[in-house]
Amino acid sequence: MTTSYFTIMMNHLEQMQVELAAAAESALDDAEPGGRGVRPEVCDCTRLLLVTEGEGTVRVEDREERLEPGVCTIILAGAPHTIEPSPGRKLAFKWCHFRAKYGDRDLYKMLRLPLTVRLSGDEAGRLLDKIIRHSAMDELTSRLRIKASVLELICLYLESMPDPKETEIVGEPSQEMAKIQAVLRYIDEHLADNITVEELARLVYLHPNYFIVFFKGMMGCSPIQYVNQRRMETARNLLLQPECNVSDVANRIGMKIYYFSRMFKTHTGMTPSRYRKLAASLPANAGDETAAARDGSAALSPDPEASGAPDESGPEDRL
C-alpha cells in the first residue's frame, strides 16, 4: 500500500502548477462579533495558514485539529471548513490562497493527507512574508518568486509529514487504490515485457478507454508515460552499476538497444554511454531526477520495428 501512496504523490507533485490567488496576515478574536460560531465556508482555491499567535481549532468536514503557533494547515479547494479562536483567545496567522492544478480533490482525501503539521524554525514565516510582499508588487520576477515560495511551503509541509514511504493507510484500501496498486505492481514486475493497455485494463476489469481515464486521474499521466518513466528510472539506476553495460540495461527493460538509446537521450539529453561516464564521477544518486515521459500509442513496450528504427546491438557513446 505504501508504494502506491508514495508513487501517486510523486507523480502528481512533479506535474503540479500553482497560481496565487491572495496572501496576507489576519487575526480572529473570540471577543469580536463573528469570532466564534461562524458557519462553514467553502473556497474554490486551496488555503494554507501558518499560526503565529494564540490558539484555536480548524474543522474540515469530520476532522478537527488544534491550532497554535507553528502549526500549518492546508485546506483543499471545495472542502467545507471553519477556523475559530479558542474561548477568550485571539488567533493570528499568515496565509496564502492558491490554485493548484494537481488533480481531483477526492484523490487527496482518499490518500488521507494530514490536516495540520507542525513546522519548526522560521522558514515558513519568511516564505509567507515574501509571498505577501511580492503579491503587492508588479515586478518582472514577482510572480516567479511567488510561485517558487508557494512550492517551498508545500515542500516544508510534506517534509513535516510522516515519511510517505512508511505511511500505512489505516483500514481497507479503497477500490480505486486497490486497483491502481495491482496495476503499478504488475508494471514493475513486467517492465521487460510487451505491456499493453488492454492487459492492464483486464487486470482491473475495465474497458481500455475507461482504464486510460482512470489511470490518468490516479497517476496524473497516461499509462504509456508512466511505463516509459519507470523504464527510464530503472535504466538510470542500472547504468550506475559497473557490471551492467548498455546492452544489458536495454535487455532488462525490454527494449532494443537502438530504441532504448534514442528514448534515453530524449529523456536525459545524453546517450546511455555518456550518462554512465558522467555519473561514474558523481556520488551515488547525485542529480537523479524523475524523467518526464512522453505520450505514445496503446502499446506500452516500444518496438523499433513498428517505428521503422533499425535494430542496433552495438554500444554507442556519441551525444
Side-chain angles (χ1 to χ4, degrees), residues 151-165:
L151 290 173
E152 281 288 329
L153 278 170
I154 295 171
C155 287
L156 289 176
Y157 193 93
L158 295 175
E159 289 167 355
S160 299
M161 291 169 46
D163 187 345
K165 290 182 179 179

Side-chain angles (χ1 to χ4, degrees), residues 217-238:
M218 291 293 291
M219 301 303 299
C221 61
S222 69
I224 178 64
Q225 287 175 320
Y226 179 78
V227 171
N228 285 342
Q229 172 185 310
R230 290 294 297 131
R231 284 189 168 124
M232 293 300 100
E233 289 171 354
T234 300
R236 291 203 311 273
N237 291 331
L238 290 173

Side-chain angles (χ1 to χ4, degrees), residues 18-37:
V18 297
E19 175 189 351
L20 183 74
E25 293 186 63
S26 300
L28 297 174
D29 194 331
D30 179 50
E32 296 178 357
R36 287 181 51 79

Side-chain angles (χ1 to χ4, degrees), residues 242-262:
E243 67 274 15
C244 291
N245 59 37
V246 175
S247 296
D248 293 334
V249 174
N251 288 334
R252 289 173 68 170
I253 62 172
M255 290 188 180
K256 301 290 186 178
I257 190 168
Y258 176 85
Y259 198 92
F260 165 59
S261 298
R262 189 172 68 180

